[in-house]
Amino acid sequence: MPLESGNRVLTSSGTLVLKRWAGLATIALAACWAFLRSGTGVMPDLQTFTAWALSWPATATEPLQEVYFSSPLGHVTAQVLQATTESRFLWLHTLTAIAAIAGLACWSYLSAGGDGRNQAARLVILTPITAILLAWLGYYDAFTVVCWVLALFAWRTGWRPLMIAAGVLLGFQHFEQAALGALAWLLAWAALRTTDAFSSHRSPAWVLLGVPLGKLALIAVLTMSGTGSDQGRLGWLTDTAMLRTTVSTAVNNGPLLLWSMFAGFWVIVIYAFLGLPGRRERWCLIAAVGLPLFMTLVTFDRPRVFALTTIPIVAMLSVVFAQEMRKQGDGRLRLTLEAIVWLGTPLIFWGQTLFNFGALDRIIVLYGALIP
């Protein structure tokens, strides 16, 4: 090979490597910004949650404990890894939350491919999902998101038995969120299956099929342990006074609650919606978002439930947007819309209280809990 030609090859290779590392650096920067702008949160009375996790599958003695026991993967993991102190328990949940966020970014990165992969990973990191995971450290949400990540990767393989197995794991961890989220995922797939990103993907109905099997497995485990069957989380829907309070609170906080659902990611949702080819696809996307929204209206921890049941939708929209921007080649529009996602800080409510206010103080509290 002539010397000049060889130099050109080396230069091109070096440029490609530099570009790849620069792209990864922007993903890391997005993760740091998502961490700094919303802060973190340690579950109040972490000592009680640690003791509960280590005692599973004991019989629950109060409603919150019963809800906590209904999502057991974190408890089992804590017992296996001997996370018997508050610090170790918090480390376990913190590292699991980081792994869950990294897993979502990795799936988006691989699914988008090409020049759009870095942007897809950044977008999914900057959604309220990250803020929700960091706000409730010590609860079971991080393990639920890990299950969603595994389901997304199983879906990517297209292997039906693996998709069903992922659904079983989801149903075992959190049946209600898994059933609602998988149904919303199926509707989102019906809306986005015409796009290049997901035209060759199987229906996620195979994941949905495994969800009730996971619930049955949990009931079987609890029955065999002698602690009784799992009663689920939907009993409070019969409490009319509670429903009246939650709905009225949602109405009072209407505009802020609407923003909190996607925060700056709303521009991606709207862009994808307007780009859908027909009325049928648009109604499917509306329904996919509407189902989790209904559950958000009747709960106090907002938009936590919405975020945890729209994970596949958010991941898919990130990939679709990144690929469409790559095809159009409009760099200015791409950067403008992504900038809104960066600047649109997620809001987290408990009732009418803004939960993620004072981000720096909350980070300091987390540091003190992790390093006693």
Side-chain angles (χ1 to χ4, degrees):
M1 177 184 294
L3 182 60
E4 183 178 349
S5 177
N7 287 337
R8 282 200 299 268
V9 171
L10 290 174
T11 301
S12 176
S13 177
T15 302
L16 182 62
V17 170
L18 182 62
K19 185 178 180 181
R20 182 174 300 171
W21 279 105
L24 294 176
T26 65
I27 297 173
L29 183 62
C32 291
W33 175 241
F35 172 72
L36 291 172
R37 70 179 180 180
S38 295
T40 59
V42 179
M43 285 298 296
D45 197 8
L46 186 63
Q47 182 179 6
T48 296
F49 283 95
T50 304
W52 283 352
L54 296 174
S55 69
W56 188 88
T59 302
T61 57
E62 58 181 273
L64 180 57
Q65 186 180 16
E66 184 176 345
V67 170
Y68 193 61
F69 276 1
S70 296
S71 296
L73 291 181
H75 317 331
V76 174
T77 306
Q79 293 174 20
V80 171
L81 297 181
Q82 292 294 299
T84 55
T85 66
E86 291 180 52
S87 178
R88 289 182 181 179
F89 186 75
L90 185 58
W91 268 112
L92 170 63
H93 282 259
T94 301
L95 293 176
T96 303
I98 293 172
I101 296 166
L104 279 175
C106 183
W107 183 88
S108 301
Y109 182 93
L110 295 174
S111 297
D115 294 335
R117 58 191 179 185
N118 295 316
Q119 184 175 45
R122 292 194 301 268
L123 290 175
V124 79
I125 288 173
L126 293 167
T127 62
I129 296 169
T130 299
I132 293 295
L133 282 182
L134 296 178
W136 304 98
L137 293 172
Y139 212 41
Y140 52 70
D141 292 340
F143 290 88
T144 304
V145 177
V146 168
C147 292
W148 279 118
V149 171
L150 294 175
L152 283 165
F153 274 104
W155 181 51
R156 194 168 184 268
T157 68
W159 191 30
R160 293 187 186 96
L162 192 59
M163 294 167 65
I164 295 173
V168 171
L169 190 64
L170 270 168
F172 186 84
Q173 168 65 7
H174 200 310
F175 171 73
E176 292 80 7
Q177 287 184 5
L180 184 68
L183 182 57
W185 183 4
L186 180 60
L187 290 166
W189 171 78
L192 301 174
R193 61 183 301 186
T194 56
T195 62
D196 294 340
F198 302 110
S199 59
S200 61
H201 282 60
R202 290 188 186 277
S203 169
W206 294 99
V207 176
L208 180 59
L209 180 64
V211 171
L213 300 178
K215 179 67 170 183
L216 291 175
L218 176 59
I219 292 174
V221 169
L222 294 177
T223 301
M224 288 187 294
S225 68
T227 59
S229 63
D230 175 47
Q231 300 299 315
R233 300 172 169 87
L234 301 181
W236 54 269
L237 287 175
T238 59
D239 188 337
T240 55
M242 175 79 73
L243 285 177
R244 191 181 305 114
T245 301
T246 56
V247 173
S248 63
T249 302
V251 173
N252 286 335
N253 294 336
L256 290 177
L257 179 60
L258 186 64
W259 169 261
S260 72
M261 289 164 55
F262 288 116
F265 195 79
W266 266 115
V267 295
I268 310 301
V269 177
I270 295 171
Y271 180 89
F273 176 81
L274 295 176
L276 292 174
R279 184 176 300 177
R280 176 182 174 276
E281 287 80 8
R282 292 183 179 183
W283 276 113
C284 283
L285 187 58
I286 290 173
V289 174
L291 282 176
L293 174 61
F294 170 75
M295 290 304 297
T296 301
L297 294 177
V298 295
T299 58
F300 275 111
D301 44 349
R302 300 160 174 152
R304 172 178 164 267
V305 172
F306 182 86
L308 293 172
T309 50
T310 55
I311 288 172
I313 301 174
V314 167
M316 292 172 69
L317 290 175
S318 298
V319 171
V320 167
F321 176 81
Q323 289 200 343
E324 289 299 316
M325 287 290 99
R326 183 185 62 182
K327 286 196 303 184
Q328 290 188 15
D330 190 341
R332 182 173 298 180
L333 177 62
R334 179 178 61 189
L335 291 177
T336 299
L337 295 181
E338 185 176 340
I340 295 174
V341 182
W342 280 74
L343 296 174
T345 302
L347 301 179
I348 303 173
F349 294 95
W350 176 258
Q352 299 193 64
T353 303
L354 183 61
F355 188 75
N356 61 326
F357 184 76
L360 181 58
D361 291 340
R362 291 158 57 79
I363 292 173
I364 293 173
V365 170
L366 174 63
Y367 177 81
L370 290 173
I371 314 294

